[in-house]
Amino acid sequence: MSNTIIVTDFSFPGQKSVYHGKVREVYTLENNKLLMVATDRLSAFDVVMPKGIPYKGQILNQIATQMMRDTEDLVPNWLTAIPDPNVAIGEACEPFKVEMVIRGYMSGHAAREYKAGKRILCGVEMPEGMSENDKFPQPIITPATKAEMGDHDEDISREDILKRGIVSEADYLQLEDYTRKLFQRGSEIAAKRGLILVDTKYEFGKTKDGKIVLIDEIHTPDSSRYFYAEGYEERQKNNEPQKQLSKEFVRQWLIQNGFQGLEGQKVPFMSDEYIETVSERYIELYENITGEKFVKADVSNIHERIEKNVLNYLK
């Protein structure tokens, strides 16, 4: 799959350092600028898959940047420019070491915990008598600590975050407030597209002036789970799985093939045909989430294209 971008090794003018995340590569430039390249890497169960997914980076970058523009009246964000379909540039921030996960429905990780008999997730009580994919009486915030590459993010309660001094109380209250506002707006945007925003995660950072801003991705299929609204009630009534838009379909495929990121497990072989279907699913996700037709960028030489666009912008 030569038409994918898996690793980057750029040397931009004024570059100070580079950090390789699970999916994004973050270049720190002088003048307090941060440049983020969304690669085509696919991560599931906190493990990066061996092959890239064509157009995935472009899809994630374009959804995230559009959603940041659609929410900037509510919550300030780090973004200043998008010089290339895979690149976002903005203000360098000190990231908070927690991910703010918010759940409107009992799905995914929450449902797995519930099935295992747990009724408290990250210090938050889940009501008795719920079925998988039921709506919570109100959205619950279930934070996770941010793991280094290769490690697993871990559930943590608000009490533990404050007790361990990971975030100050004043900042944490602000993070919670922003999280609820963003989730409300994201749910409204999703509803207009015939979708339900089930759960998502937000990441925040502090600018050098001490302002809390939204960073990283927002409302993408990698950070969020969506259901199709049409037929939701009926499927719940009949105890059927929900039709969803997220990378859960990849997780399910991996589980069926004996992989859940546990020690000793091997990532199953992904054929080019399977990779192609994953790419098509991501394009479907893009078009449903944004309500726009996806326009494929030129991928004949992605590295060259990115470098050229970024250098033109930095001039």
Side-chain angles (χ1 to χ4, degrees):
M1 288 280 176
S2 56
N3 56 342
T4 58
I5 185 159
I6 307 295
V7 207
T8 70
D9 185 20
F10 295 115
S11 184
F12 297 120
Q15 184 173 313
K16 289 159 86 174
S17 65
V18 59
Y19 167 76
H20 301 278
K22 284 178 199 143
V23 172
R24 286 172 172 72
E25 318 256 273
V26 184
Y27 289 81
T28 303
L29 310 179
E30 57 197 14
N31 300 328
N32 212 43
K33 273 199 188 95
L34 213 60
L35 184 150
M36 218 184 260
V37 181
T39 70
D40 296 321
R41 293 198 295 266
L42 176 65
S43 154
F45 297 115
D46 290 322
V47 175
V48 175
M49 301 295 120
K51 288 184 182 177
I53 308 300
Y55 304 106
K56 178 179 174 282
Q58 179 190 347
I59 287 165
L60 291 195
N61 193 50
Q62 290 184 337
I63 293 175
T65 50
Q66 182 177 317
M67 291 288 180
M68 286 211 171
R69 287 179 170 154
D70 290 345
T71 56
E72 64 191 359
D73 59 316
L74 288 179
V75 176
N77 63 58
W78 76 290
L79 190 67
T80 52
I82 304 120
D84 179 273
N86 285 63
V87 177
I89 292 180
E91 199 173 353
C93 302
E94 181 62 44
F96 285 98
K97 288 186 165 62
V98 289
E99 291 181 344
M100 298 300 283
V101 181
I102 182 164
R103 305 173 184 279
Y105 294 72
M106 194 188 64
S107 302
H109 174 59
R112 289 191 279 273
E113 294 289 282
Y114 199 90
K115 269 187 191 144
K118 293 184 186 167
R119 292 296 176 266
I120 289 181
L121 185 61
C122 301
V124 182
E125 209 165 316
M126 299 186 283
E128 284 294 343
M130 289 186 78
S131 300
E132 185 168 357
N133 301 329
D134 276 355
K135 188 175 184 177
F136 284 118
Q138 52 260 348
I140 64 170
I141 293 179
T142 59
T145 56
K146 271 192 71 55
E148 292 301 313
M149 183 115 164
D151 290 336
H152 292 278
D153 296 343
E154 281 179 21
D155 290 345
I156 189 168
S157 68
R158 174 191 187 164
E159 289 68 33
D160 276 351
I161 289 169
L162 299 180
K163 196 162 75 190
R164 284 161 58 180
I166 298 171
V167 181
S168 77
E169 187 164 11
D171 284 351
Y172 192 78
L173 290 173
Q174 181 72 84
L175 297 186
E176 278 196 337
D177 179 55
Y178 279 166
T179 296
R180 292 193 189 282
K181 283 179 174 153
L182 289 168
F183 190 68
Q184 177 63 34
R185 176 66 59 84
S187 301
E188 288 160 11
I189 293 169
K192 284 186 195 144
R193 315 255 193 265
L195 300 172
I196 293 167
L197 179 58
V198 177
D199 53 40
T200 190
K201 70 178 172 75
Y202 303 115
E203 297 189 37
F204 297 93
K206 232 181 206 184
T207 66
K208 65 175 194 311
D209 309 328
K211 186 164 87 168
I212 294 176
V213 297
L214 176 66
I215 60 172
D216 204 36
E217 61 186 336
I218 158 180
H219 300 156
T220 72
D222 269 24
S223 66
S224 318
R225 193 188 316 267
Y226 290 90
F227 290 157
Y228 286 93
E230 195 183 330
Y232 165 80
E233 299 289 354
E234 204 156 304
R235 284 189 283 272
Q236 279 307 90
K237 236 185 2 233
N238 300 334
N239 219 1
E240 292 168 3
Q242 285 300 330
K243 196 174 168 216
Q244 60 172 294
L245 274 177
S246 72
K247 64 173 181 184
E248 185 65 23
F249 71 95
V250 176
R251 289 191 201 99
Q252 292 304 331
W253 182 85
L254 289 167
I255 289 169
Q256 283 157 18
N257 286 275
F259 182 79
Q260 283 191 66
L262 304 173
E263 218 169 311
Q265 292 184 340
K266 260 204 166 101
V267 176
F269 172 73
M270 292 180 163
S271 67
D272 286 353
E273 290 73 34
Y274 178 69
I275 296 286
E276 204 50 54
T277 64
V278 176
S279 182
E280 282 159 16
R281 282 294 291 275
Y282 266 94
I283 290 169
E284 179 197 342
L285 295 169
Y286 175 91
E287 295 184 339
N288 279 282
I289 292 167
T290 63
E292 291 169 11
K293 187 103 186 81
F294 180 65
V295 181
K296 293 177 175 178
D298 175 12
V299 292
S300 51
N301 194 327
I302 307 178
H303 288 81
E304 213 170 81
R305 186 201 76 206
I306 289 175
E307 192 162 39
K308 192 173 143 212
N309 286 335
V310 169
L311 291 176
N312 283 340
Y313 171 78
L314 292 176
K315 269 180 200 159

